[in-house]
Each structure stands twice: as structure tokens, then as C-alpha cells.
Amino acid sequence: MPALGFGTLIPDPALTITATRDALEAGFRHFDCAERYGNEREVGTALQAGIAAGGLAREDILVTTKLWNNYYRRDHTLAMAKAQNDAWGLDYIDLYLIHFPVALKYIEPEKLRYPVSDNPTTVSNYSNW
């Protein structure tokens, strides 16, 4: 496991791809994400492009993502893990963590989204907590 990882909580999808690509080129091999960040597909896209460019295999990259607190029931966890794995597009996730150990009421994933904020440094809605 790499000693240093690249965190991907980046609100803008285009910046997510650019930052992830740049981190990969800079030598990062551990990428940390979460379903709640809403950008697993973009991070996966950048990593897939890095692998396709050559000189790097999937096995060279450590992918960490997290289960959000509304999905602790077994069937919800399995469904979310599959959806997250599909979003990454890398065949498998190396490390799957619980985001933080506090169970919350189940809410369908499509309904559990923060509204877009004009100020990305401000969390705009905690009403689903």
C-alpha cells in the first residue's frame, strides 16, 4: 500500500479528471474517493486513460472508496458496492471502507445528493443527515 494517497474530493467533474490525471503523472498510485463525492466515474476515467497510455497496469494503482451511512443493510451495501465498482470502470476496488461508523436512515441513492452550490467550499445541504 502506498504511503501517500491522493484524495479526490473535487467538486468540479472536469477538474476531477485533470487533477487525477496530474496526480497519476506526478507519481501517485493510491487514489481515495467516495460515493458521496459524486465523482467516482471521473476519477476512474482518468485512471483508465493513464493505464491505456501505457507503462502502468491496473495492479499498480490502489483504489479506495467508501460506503455512505445510508446503506448498511446487506442488500443496500452489495448494491452500492456494485454501482461504485461499475462507476470506477476498473474491474475491482482494492479497499472498501465505511465512510464513518454512524448508521443513517436509508434514502435511495438518487435522492441523496447535495444541491450544487455556487461556493464549492460551503456544504450546501445537510438535510439528509
Side-chain angles (χ1 to χ4, degrees):
M1 181 172 188
L4 186 62
F6 184 75
T8 61
L9 179 54
I10 306 163
D12 180 274
L15 289 177
T16 298
I17 293 171
T18 301
T20 303
R21 185 195 65 227
D22 291 349
L24 193 59
E25 289 175 4
F28 282 90
R29 295 298 179 261
H30 177 194
F31 293 85
D32 176 74
C33 201
E35 185 272 338
R36 292 298 290 166
Y37 301 171
N39 61 1
E40 290 177 309
R41 188 167 314 281
E42 289 80 10
V43 176
T45 296
L47 296 179
Q48 291 170 46
I51 292 167
L56 190 63
R58 168 61 182 94
E59 296 77 26
D60 298 328
I61 300 169
L62 182 84
V63 171
T64 300
T65 196
K66 301 170 205 79
L67 176 70
W68 189 242
N69 306 58
N70 300 91
Y71 310 116
Y72 285 176
R73 273 189 27 193
R74 185 178 193 279
D75 56 331
H76 297 157
T77 299
L78 294 174
M80 186 55 65
K82 181 183 180 333
Q84 288 177 267
N85 188 53
D86 291 349
W88 280 92
L90 295 171
D91 297 327
Y92 61 94
I93 294 167
D94 297 288
L95 181 60
Y96 195 56
L97 303 170
I98 293 173
H99 207 114
F100 62 90
V102 175
L104 301 175
K105 179 181 87 174
Y106 176 75
I107 298 173
E108 294 176 32
E110 323 55 74
K111 295 179 181 175
L112 189 63
R113 297 279 181 239
Y114 294 134
V116 175
S117 170
D118 291 336
N119 181 355
T121 61
T122 303
V123 176
S124 56
N125 179 2
Y126 280 99
S127 65
N128 290 324
W129 287 41

